[in-house]
Amino acid sequence: MAATIPAEERLTNLIVALMATRIGLTKQQILDNVSGYRQRAEAGAKTDALEKMFERDKDQLRALGVRVETIGDAADPNDLREARYRIPQEEYDLPGDIAFSPAELAVLRLAGSVWSAESASADAQAGVRKIRAMGIDGDEPIIGFAPRITGRDAAFAPLQDAIERTRVVTFDYLKPGDERPQRRRLRPLALLDYEARWHIYGIDVDADAERTFLLSRIVGAVKVTAQSFDPALREGAGERALAGLEEVAATHSALLEVEPGTEAALRLGRRATPAVQGIHLPYVDRDILADELASYGPEVRVVEPAELRDAVVARLQGVFEAHATEGEHA
């Protein structure tokens, strides 16, 4: 069975691929390598169906104001059998005299990941597209077809409400390896998007210490209590949370071997530094990174640390066993 890749994620992957190439990609290269098409091809989808999907996706991107350029044969521009496609980056470059601080870029990135096409004007959408081309990782949510945060993390809305009202919240939190979730009481101070995942930062009431939690690991509903806290605690909370996550990432690094020209090379390369044997990739959470690396399949191999490699292998083995079981009952 083909992996279920949401349409908005497939469009995001397509934009990332087309903006990352100067010479363009052929239709076959796109169908073979871009996530969303590749899984369907591997599951046996017919080439005609995939090509029609690609044509629809191109039309949708153009409707959103993203120009997809078609490059034909120089000797015969009308011959599109081996045409290449790209999104010209120069159209999204800001003037050289405009610069943003890291804090300003973080705010713009956060805003761009939350807005929808309906809530922003055409000028605003074009502005965010230009900002995305400045060096912010291209695989982050892009205006116009970003996944809606409320559908992905149900805890987001009540936590945001609690921050604005300075109210203590309670929730059940399940850490990897634990059989049961633990009840947490938190003074929520800031929500932040780090490595394309939402986190809540605040003061753990019981531990009387600052803590950061992944929204995706919150189990069940978040309860906003009547207990309030000093609004002054929110000042600078976002910066402290970001600094804490970056400090953790600086002390954890994975050595990876990545197949050149693949989606894994494109996405991981933007967050990594070159090494003699592959790339060094900093990370915050081993289990989250293992999930991501396993999704690339044979495109990436973990050299070290061993515990990360074991975690990726365990996930791939689980997928293999699940498919084997499906085949037995087919």
Side-chain angles (χ1 to χ4, degrees), residues 22-176:
R22 291 289 183 183
I23 64 172
L25 298 173
T26 66
K27 186 180 297 184
Q28 194 59 51
Q29 287 175 323
I30 292 168
L31 300 183
D32 288 344
N33 295 287
V34 176
S35 181
Y37 303 104
R38 187 186 69 237
Q39 288 83 352
R40 290 177 178 267
E42 292 173 348
K46 294 183 178 180
T47 301
D48 289 348
L50 293 173
E51 291 183 349
K52 289 179 180 178
M53 176 186 291
F54 172 61
E55 294 300 327
R56 290 194 299 270
D57 287 347
K58 279 197 303 175
D59 291 340
Q60 186 168 352
L61 291 183
R62 286 163 175 160
L64 291 169
V66 179
R67 187 167 75 89
V68 179
E69 188 176 57
T70 302
I71 306 171
D73 188 336
D76 185 2
N78 294 321
D79 184 1
L80 300 180
R81 288 175 296 179
E82 294 298 323
R84 291 179 174 270
Y85 303 89
R86 70 173 184 174
I87 296 174
Q89 292 188 14
E90 55 271 16
E91 294 191 5
Y92 300 92
D93 291 339
L94 287 174
D97 58 349
I98 295 180
F100 296 101
S101 69
E104 290 170 332
L105 284 173
V107 171
L108 291 168
R109 177 176 59 188
L110 178 63
S113 68
V114 176
W115 287 345
S116 67
E118 293 78 17
S119 64
S121 67
D123 289 341
Q125 293 180 43
V128 174
R129 285 197 300 273
K130 291 182 178 180
I131 291 165
R132 289 288 185 226
M134 289 185 58
I136 299 174
D137 284 352
D139 58 343
E140 298 181 31
I142 297 176
I143 185 69
F145 48 90
R148 302 295 180 261
I149 54 178
T150 52
R152 179 162 295 184
D153 294 308
F156 186 95
L159 288 172
Q160 180 63 47
D161 178 62
I163 292 172
E164 294 173 355
R165 296 165 59 194
T166 61
R167 296 291 183 87
V168 172
V169 298
T170 63
F171 53 83
D172 291 332
Y173 193 75
L174 183 63
K175 295 193 298 184

